[in-house]
Amino acid sequence: MISLKVNGKSRQIDVAPDTPLLWALRDTLQLTGTKYGCGQALCGACTVHVDGVPTRACVTPVSAVAGRSISTIEAVDAGKVGRAVQEAWRRLDVVQCGYCQSGQIMSAVALLTTNRKPSDADIDNAMSGNLCRCATYQRIRAAIHEAARNLAKEKQA
Amino acid sequence: MNAPAIENLSRRGFLQGVGGLTLGFCISAPFAPAALARIGVSPAPTFGFNAFLRIASDDSVTVISKHLEMGQGTYTGLATILAEELDADWKTVRVEGAPADASRYNNLFWGPAQGTGGSTAIANSWGQLRAAGATARAMLVAAAAKRWQVPGAEITVREGVVSHAASKRKARFGELAEAAAQEKLLIDVALKKPADFRLVGRHARRLDSADKVNGKALFTQDVQLPGMLVAVVAHAPRYGAVLRGFDAAAAKRVKGVVEVVQIPSGVAVLAADTWSAKKGRDALKLDWDEARAFKLGTDEILAKYKELAKTPGLVAHTAGDADAAFAKAAKVIRAGFDFPYLAHAAMEPMNCVVKRTAEGCEVWNGEQLHTGDQYALAGVFGIKAEQVKINMLYAGGSFGRRANTKSDYVVEAANIVKAIDGRAPVKLVWLREDDMRGGYYRPLFHHALEAAIDAEGRLAGWRHRLVGQSILKGSPFEGMVKNGIDAVSVEGAANLPYAIPNMRVDLHTPEDIPVPVLWWRSVGSSHTAYSTEVFLDQVAKAMGKDPVALRLDLLGKHPRHAAVLRLAAEKAGWDKPLAAGKPGTRRGRGVAVHESFRSCVAQVAEVTLAADGTIKVDRVVCAVDCGIAVNPDNVRSQVEGAVGFALSAALYGEIALKDGVVTAGNFDAYPILRINEMPRVEVHILPSQANPTGIGEPGVPPLAPAVANAIGAATGRFPGRLPFRSEELKA
Ligand code: FES
Ligand code: FES
């Protein structure tokens, strides 16, 4: 049994310790919002937060994150930054097929959490590990800027 | 595959125009709701109006989509068309994927087959869904007229509310739905004039955005059924290899592995979860007989094609007397172009869930070719096609891969279920490497082009020879192979729009290469637009003409091409010099225009080259004529995405074989464009009153030639192969 803290809840799972967090989330805990794209930390589709840090779940064995705080796309609306990012994504109709977008959003939320006013270069740095085969990149960039503006407004208000 | 003329069609005309297809009724929801890619589910009593529409007593309007949503915005676009004629309130509109039933849901451009492809979803549905919306609106009006005892002609409908001004009566759709659904379908219902559109041509938000930003959207990869097993398969290392035997002992020792079975395409390991199945698969010991396997590499295939190109092929198009024009030429220009195999590499690798049921079988899939897959699965199980029930889920991209003429991965999933006698539902999961090496690539092609300039300096002759495998031969679409010419091998080349008096286009179709090939976003145009448009720039250079001016000179009979070309040139500032780059860099600007799927797109690309030949595309200005843009923002989004998709291929895309083995397995060896490489894309839509034409694919073909022409302008070197090679572009 391995004990995981996912989206604020403690969960006991019975999987081999080398099982990547990705498959534990998807197959065991039925949290299927986190996606499989490559299994080798090459695409970012599986991005989750471990103690707030964006992490590729496909190469992270569950044994390495036991007891740490894991959050996934399913809980992203629990935070102000997460809600602002989702709202910007919807307003600009960023998504196409949508398969990469959980990972994109998790990376964007991590960026805006530590950097409230990212430049284009900051966005390139934070987001270039997240592939989008539909190439929605122009809108991803615009949506991050928009979310940043809205968060700044919220703060003033 | 011509579009029926269906603009402003009456219902009678509609019924005749589409070969007797009816707006069949479907009162009851046919599928388990949880399993469908649907947007919003109404718990309220719901009433069917026709095969494409249900209205519930809570006012929700459910549009049934016969087409797959794979990112191209189809669900939103189709709903927009129906909601327009229905005068629905957009906030109440939801979408649900249609079941597999070609009698109601066939692609009107394909005859009696249901499926999504060729950028036809909006175009073939335009008249059908307008009629579906307009007749339902008439039924609502008739029900209100009866209830209020007023003449129907005095009733108006707006945003989901039916009103009679004189008596000040109003009813929402939900209040009328039950009675209206009993009304007879009226035969002659007028459709709106485009000037009266309220939704079409405006910005309707995507209906699938909400579920795609919170992880709720259901893809095949996400399906979990009670008792379901996950299968990961060991496939042959080379095409044509035969399994001699295998040892599953180590695989069976992996915790979680339930069963190991041989299937025609390899050995499947079944487990309770994906990771265990993968570990089991990796632990298999396999003995392949490769005596008769294909062992050539792509270099050897290309060398063969170049030899073939020295001999005449089957003539796909001729005009005037090409050879005479070359005999008389003052100057002849020649160029060759090589195009690699390309993988679709959809973000969601191929996968499929199949369950044997008492009625036949049930499938969950990002379903792109319903009818073909129904027949293929019926063949596996020895049942009838209509016993194959298909749940069409969201697809995490496809770019053509899921419309597989051989139903490859769908059949593989079914074969696994068959091998375990249907004891459990099975989710077949292809890992990225299985997907990358799974074949069905955009075919490798070689093109040879020649142009003859006459003594007066005119472009008098054009000879274009293509060598590459056929996609359609041996497929259910074989009817499109005429006199040995596969129409999609030469599309974009055989119908070159330029007024050149003497032309010949011929084709070699090698049949001894077993690498499976398939349509890849924009199909033949993915290579023909490149060779023709890059060669034309080389011709323009030799003639001392401006690339835009030469094209406009030659496009007299093609006003749509000319119009998008002018628009793109104007918006890009073609008449002004391009700003210089940083010291040590070279900058260039290039143009290309191409028609595909009945839409015309022109693009102007601005490119900066570093001294080491590294290519950076800074900006791409696009002009599009796709008829009426049902959802202009989605048209922009598709073209932006097409630019990024095509640039991936131009910079990196290449599936290479070495000794018959596909070398790339994952994104390290088959790179995809990243956000820092994405150019600024501007999309300008030409206003149009014509019926909608395709938009999912037409943004792809002009991109690579526009970039190549920009490279040519900056360096004097026009790349003769894709992907580009930086080492050939050093300062
Ligand atoms: S699936 Fe983890 S990075 Fe691709
Ligand atoms: S939206 Fe399709 S891969 Fe990103």
Side-chain angles (χ1 to χ4, degrees):
Chain A
M1 279 290 175
I2 291 173
S3 170
L4 291 181
K5 204 168 130 210
V6 182
N7 298 334
K9 283 199 203 99
S10 276
R11 314 282 298 256
Q12 305 291 316
I13 56 169
D14 179 21
V15 299
D18 69 340
T19 304
L21 176 60
L22 171 67
W23 299 112
L25 291 171
R26 291 183 50 82
D27 288 353
T28 313
L29 299 175
Q30 324 265 296
L31 292 169
T32 55
T34 305
K35 298 299 190 232
Y36 165 76
C38 70
Q40 293 191 22
L42 296 167
C43 78
C46 64
T47 307
V48 298
H49 295 173
V50 177
D51 295 333
V53 178
T55 303
R56 307 292 188 231
C58 68
V59 292
T60 305
V62 282
S63 55
V65 289
R68 316 231 333 244
S69 177
I70 297 154
S71 74
T72 71
I73 186 72
E74 283 87 355
V76 84
D77 60 358
K80 187 164 77 196
V81 177
R83 287 192 297 274
V85 167
Q86 285 180 316
E87 173 56 28
W89 245 248
R90 284 193 299 261
R91 235 189 58 76
L92 300 186
D93 269 345
V94 170
V95 307
Q96 290 190 27
C97 82
Y99 195 79
C100 74
Q101 298 293 346
S102 298
Q104 304 283 0
I105 286 172
M106 295 310 282
S107 291
V109 170
L111 167 66
L112 285 166
T113 303
T114 53
N115 179 350
R116 282 299 167 96
K117 205 165 177 269
S119 64
D120 278 339
D122 296 335
I123 293 174
D124 283 348
N125 277 336
M127 303 299 294
S128 61
N130 286 85
L131 299 181
C132 176
R133 186 59 166 147
C134 304
T136 61
Y137 299 125
Q138 177 155 302
R139 291 179 188 224
I140 288 173
R141 184 183 302 284
I144 292 174
H145 284 309
E146 165 146 335
R149 274 193 302 274
N150 290 341
L151 283 165
K153 266 189 237 151
E154 237 177 74
K155 212 172 173 186
Q156 279 168 9
Chain B
M1 300 246 284
N2 282 330
I6 37 184
E7 184 136 49
N8 277 335
L9 208 62
S10 69
R11 177 171 155 72
R12 191 197 310 272
F14 162 72
L15 286 171
Q16 291 158 351
V18 297
L21 180 120
T22 61
L23 294 166
F25 277 76
C26 65
I27 302 290
S28 60
F31 288 151
L36 285 165
R38 46 160 68 189
I39 296 158
V41 179
S42 169
T46 298
F47 306 95
F49 281 71
N50 52 55
F52 301 98
L53 173 67
R54 294 198 302 265
I55 300 178
S57 57
D58 66 358
D59 298 329
S60 61
V61 168
T62 301
V63 176
I64 319 292
S65 169
K66 65 181 182 178
H67 290 295
L68 172 65
E69 177 57 71
M70 48 188 154
Q72 81 284 42
T74 277
Y75 274 18
T76 307
L78 295 178
T80 304
I81 298 169
L82 192 150
E84 174 69 66
E85 293 289 348
L86 183 64
D87 277 312
D89 176 359
W90 185 247
K91 290 190 292 296
T92 66
V93 175
R94 299 110 195 266
V95 181
E96 185 179 300
D101 178 357
S103 70
R104 288 182 294 166
Y105 297 119
N106 67 324
N107 186 321
L108 302 183
F109 290 0
W110 290 3
Q114 185 180 355
T116 308
S119 293
T120 57
I122 297 292
N124 94 92
S125 301
W126 173 244
Q128 185 173 46
L129 291 185
R130 291 182 74 192
T135 50
R137 181 188 188 277
M139 290 157 77
L140 287 158
V141 168
K146 239 178 238 169
R147 186 173 295 175
W148 299 333
Q149 294 295 305
V150 300
E154 293 174 7
I155 288 176
T156 56
V157 186
R158 181 122 180 221
E159 286 183 30
V161 178
V162 183
S163 322
H164 183 247
S167 65
K168 295 208 171 72
R169 270 178 287 210
K170 271 187 200 313
R172 301 197 54 85
F173 280 6
E175 300 168 54
L176 292 166
E178 183 168 13
Q182 314 301 322
E183 287 291 328
K184 276 212 190 63
L185 279 173
L186 299 175
I187 293 296
D188 285 302
V189 177
L191 301 182
K192 285 185 182 177
K193 290 189 209 56
D196 298 330
F197 287 159
R198 299 176 165 280
L199 289 170
V200 168
R202 310 276 160 101
H203 178 183
R205 292 274 177 80
R206 279 186 81 113
L207 293 169
D208 53 350
S209 268
D211 280 353
K212 288 180 175 176
V213 301
N214 61 18
K216 286 208 183 93
L218 190 77
F219 298 87
T220 306
Q221 192 76 26
D222 306 330
V223 171
Q224 315 253 7
L225 300 175
M228 184 184 84
L229 296 175
V230 178
V232 175
V233 175
H235 295 108
R238 290 184 168 85
Y239 302 106
V242 180
L243 189 68
R244 232 182 332 238
F246 66 100
D247 173 0
K252 285 183 177 160
R253 280 197 298 273
V254 172
K255 187 182 162 199
V257 168
V258 176
E259 213 160 337
V260 179
V261 291
Q262 186 174 349
I263 52 170
S265 52
V267 178
V269 175
L270 294 117
D273 63 281
T274 318
W275 182 246
S276 305
K278 179 205 179 308
K279 280 209 287 189
R281 192 273 308 262
D282 294 349
L284 285 171
K285 287 192 189 67
L286 301 142
D287 179 16
W288 295 98
D289 176 358
E290 302 195 70
R292 275 187 301 268
F294 180 70
K295 295 201 190 78
L296 289 188
T298 30
D299 289 346
E300 286 114 310
I301 297 174
L302 186 59
K304 275 174 75 135
Y305 285 10
K306 285 185 172 168
E307 266 319 297
L308 263 179
K310 292 179 183 157
T311 61
L314 294 176
V315 175
H317 172 72
T318 132
D321 186 340
D323 293 341
F326 279 85
K328 286 196 301 240
K331 191 173 188 181
V332 174
I333 302 151
R334 294 190 174 84
F337 297 93
D338 305 329
F339 302 93
Y341 289 115
L342 290 173
H344 304 74
M347 211 64 223
E348 180 187 18
M350 297 303 107
N351 46 31
C352 184
V353 179
V354 175
K355 180 186 179 186
R356 199 75 161 94
T357 61
E359 298 78 34
C361 80
E362 188 167 359
V363 179
W364 290 259
N365 186 25
E367 183 61 50
Q368 199 175 349
L369 215 51
H370 301 70
T371 309
D373 288 346
Q374 275 187 308
Y375 276 98
L377 292 197
V380 171
F381 291 120
I383 57 178
K384 292 204 204 75
E386 55 271 28
Q387 289 174 275
V388 178
K389 178 168 150 182
I390 300 181
N391 302 288
M392 177 172 69
L393 307 187
Y394 287 130
S398 172
F399 316 110
R401 183 61 178 84
R402 293 172 205 273
N404 191 291
T405 51
K406 304 277 163 55
S407 303
D408 65 333
Y409 67 93
V410 175
V411 163
E412 181 166 279
N415 273 321
I416 299 167
V417 172
K418 190 176 167 187
I420 60 165
D421 296 321
R423 281 193 298 279
V426 169
K427 172 158 71 180
L428 167 67
V429 173
W430 277 11
L431 299 169
R432 175 58 61 194
E433 292 78 5
D434 303 308
D435 187 272
M436 197 70 82
R437 300 192 169 120
Y440 295 98
Y441 305 121
R442 194 286 303 275
L444 182 151
F445 260 84
H446 172 70
H447 292 212
L449 286 101
E450 298 174 297
I453 314 290
D454 68 15
E456 283 76 47
R458 290 173 309 208
L459 176 52
W462 180 277
R463 291 192 296 218
H464 186 170
R465 181 162 296 155
L466 302 91
V467 187
Q469 289 166 264
S470 165
I471 294 168
L472 298 176
K473 261 187 196 159
S475 87
F477 296 85
E478 182 141 17
M480 287 170 72
V481 181
K482 299 254 160 65
N483 303 319
I485 306 277
D486 178 334
V488 305
S489 290
V490 294
E491 62 183 354
N495 53 337
L496 194 75
Y498 300 118
I500 304 170
N502 305 291
M503 271 184 77
R504 184 173 64 236
V505 178
D506 63 353
L507 172 72
H508 286 283
T509 306
E511 300 204 34
D512 55 348
I513 310 288
V515 180
V517 294
L518 194 63
W519 22 64
W520 179 97
R521 196 175 185 179
S522 82
V523 200
S525 292
S526 71
H527 48 96
T528 59
Y530 188 86
S531 63
T532 55
E533 287 292 281
V534 176
F535 188 56
L536 191 66
D537 258 44
Q538 291 171 264
V539 170
K541 195 176 170 195
M543 293 168 80
K545 292 212 174 178
D546 172 76
V548 171
L550 175 63
R551 284 175 174 79
L552 288 174
D553 281 352
L554 297 173
L555 284 170
K557 292 220 176 77
H558 292 272
R560 291 176 77 205
H561 287 74
V564 291
L565 182 58
R566 272 195 208 95
L567 182 60
E570 177 207 320
K571 298 289 184 187
W574 187 264
D575 55 347
K576 294 177 210 72
L578 182 66
K582 291 203 189 86
T585 63
R586 295 155 291 168
R587 294 200 82 216
R589 184 165 56 193
V591 68
V593 59
H594 192 78
E595 177 186 0
S596 58
F597 310 97
R598 297 168 298 279
S599 291
C600 288
V601 180
Q603 293 175 354
V604 174
E606 296 175 5
V607 172
T608 302
L609 288 125
D612 66 355
T614 305
I615 302 158
K616 174 87 173 82
V617 181
D618 305 309
R619 177 187 181 212
V620 180
V621 178
C622 313
V624 180
D625 178 353
C626 59
I628 291 172
V630 169
N631 184 338
D633 189 59
N634 192 58
V635 169
R636 283 190 287 273
S637 156
Q638 282 306 296
V639 176
E640 290 161 16
V643 164
F645 186 87
L647 186 55
S648 260
L651 294 178
Y652 308 119
E654 177 164 27
I655 288 289
L657 274 71
K658 231 181 154 58
D659 305 324
V661 176
V662 176
T663 55
N666 214 315
F667 293 124
D668 49 349
Y670 191 81
I672 297 303
L673 195 81
R674 293 174 185 274
I675 192 168
N676 54 309
E677 301 163 312
M678 181 74 187
R680 190 150 50 85
V681 183
E682 295 161 37
V683 182
H684 304 278
I685 303 169
L686 212 79
S688 173
Q689 300 279 308
N691 286 350
T693 51
I695 201 59
E697 297 169 89
V700 171
L703 186 276
V707 172
N709 290 339
I711 292 171
T715 65
R717 282 165 267 172
F718 292 87
R721 76 183 289 283
L722 288 176
F724 303 131
R725 280 182 177 158
S726 289
E727 61 269 26
E728 292 169 4
L729 299 169
K730 286 195 181 120

